[in-house]
Amino acid sequence: MDPLNTLWETFFDWDSMREALPEMLTVGLPNTLTLAVSAALLGSVLGMLLAVAGISRTRWLRWPARVYTDVFRGLPAAATILLIGVGLAPLGMQVWGPNPYPLGVLALSLIAAAYLGEIFRAGILSVEAAQLEGARALGFSWGEAMRLVIIPQGVRRVLPAWVNQLIALIKDSSLVYFLGLLASQRELFRIGQDYAANTGNQSALLLAGLFYLVLTVPLTHAVNWLDRRLRQGRPAAPPEPETEPAGLTPSGKDPR
């Protein structure tokens, strides 16, 4: 058989795509966005705590943050998801019943926190030391200076990197299918995989990949635009035209 025909029939069966499209729109897409956004928000909170602990002068704060970051950045995402989803399943059964969805969010959040902690730490350290000294001179405590002056500036500087991590979470959400989600909790990749298994055709998986492209490509361009905007700053306002004082001639002399 012609390889091109085989490729076309395996991945470009429009009928298979049309059959999977409604469920991907109503079930897969909302679940993918819920997993990614929830993990990004929770990971941002945990990551900020890791960043502050990582720059602390206290060893018992700095060392655990370093170990956490090294472990969760070094482990494959699939291994972390299985470790949390299977290892904490008995606890999850007692808290919210046979629902692996929260454990999937927790696993993605722990992964994101390790990366976001380093991103936030780099942003905080990029703020000039004079900013902290000036805030302390105005009477702010160290905590108030960090919370009101240093951290907001540091976060603003790393917003493009934060959006990049959101893109990575959107793609990593496809790994949560390892936990055996319920039919109503399946994300895009899992729905495509189920249709491919039922029909013997991979077109639904290609459709799921197109959904990921539609989600991530605009975010990628948004990151590039945001990065340029933060680097260039706001455009300077045009200078106001000078006006002659009342009672003077254009030469500047009093006509009297």
Side-chain angles (χ1 to χ4, degrees):
M1 186 178 294
D2 187 357
L4 291 179
N5 288 336
T6 302
L7 178 66
W8 183 265
E9 294 174 0
T10 303
F11 290 97
F12 296 93
D13 186 344
W14 305 117
D15 292 333
S16 298
M17 290 186 180
R18 193 179 304 112
E19 183 181 357
L21 181 60
E23 193 168 6
M24 286 191 178
L25 285 173
T26 58
V27 178
L29 182 60
N31 283 331
T32 295
L33 292 176
T34 300
L35 284 168
V37 174
S38 300
L41 295 177
L42 183 56
S44 296
V45 175
L46 297 176
M48 182 58 68
L49 295 177
L50 287 172
V52 175
I55 62 176
S56 173
R57 296 179 180 179
T58 306
R59 290 182 179 180
W60 64 270
L61 286 176
R62 188 173 65 252
W63 287 4
R66 185 74 264 169
V67 171
Y68 176 97
T69 301
D70 290 341
V71 169
F72 280 92
R73 289 179 70 182
L75 284 174
T80 302
I81 290 172
L82 285 174
L83 181 66
I84 300 299
V86 177
L88 298 182
L91 178 62
M93 287 285 293
Q94 298 176 6
V95 177
W96 48 69
N99 183 3
Y101 200 80
L103 290 176
V105 173
L106 176 61
L108 290 174
S109 301
L110 295 177
I111 297 170
Y115 291 93
L116 291 173
E118 287 298 285
I119 291 172
F120 289 147
R121 186 172 72 91
I124 292 172
L125 293 177
S126 70
V127 179
E128 297 77 6
Q131 298 277 351
L132 180 60
E133 296 170 0
R136 296 300 301 274
L138 292 175
F140 289 93
S141 66
W142 185 87
E144 291 173 336
M146 290 294 294
R147 186 176 72 254
L148 301 176
V149 179
I150 304 301
I151 290 179
Q153 293 186 65
V155 170
R156 179 179 178 271
R157 295 182 181 187
V158 297
L159 278 178
W162 186 92
V163 179
N164 275 329
Q165 187 58 37
L166 175 61
I167 293 173
L169 283 172
I170 291 175
K171 293 184 289 186
D172 285 346
S173 66
S174 63
L175 299 174
V176 179
Y177 82 92
F178 286 137
L179 303 182
L181 299 175
L182 303 176
S184 60
Q185 299 172 338
R186 294 175 300 168
E187 33 69 44
L188 288 168
F189 183 79
R190 182 61 181 178
I191 292 176
Q193 190 179 46
D194 288 345
Y195 273 94
N198 293 333
T199 62
N201 188 280
Q202 308 300 315
S203 300
L205 280 175
L206 178 62
L207 180 62
L210 293 176
F211 270 97
Y212 285 110
L213 283 177
V214 170
L215 291 174
T216 58
V217 170
L219 283 175
T220 301
H221 289 287
V223 167
N224 295 334
W225 175 84
L226 183 61
D227 186 50
R228 288 194 303 269
R229 182 67 182 271
L230 293 177
R231 289 177 184 273
Q232 297 173 358
R234 295 181 178 179
E240 296 182 0
E242 296 182 0
T243 56
E244 296 290 342
L248 296 181
T249 63
S251 62
K253 298 181 180 180
D254 192 330
R256 295 170 295 178

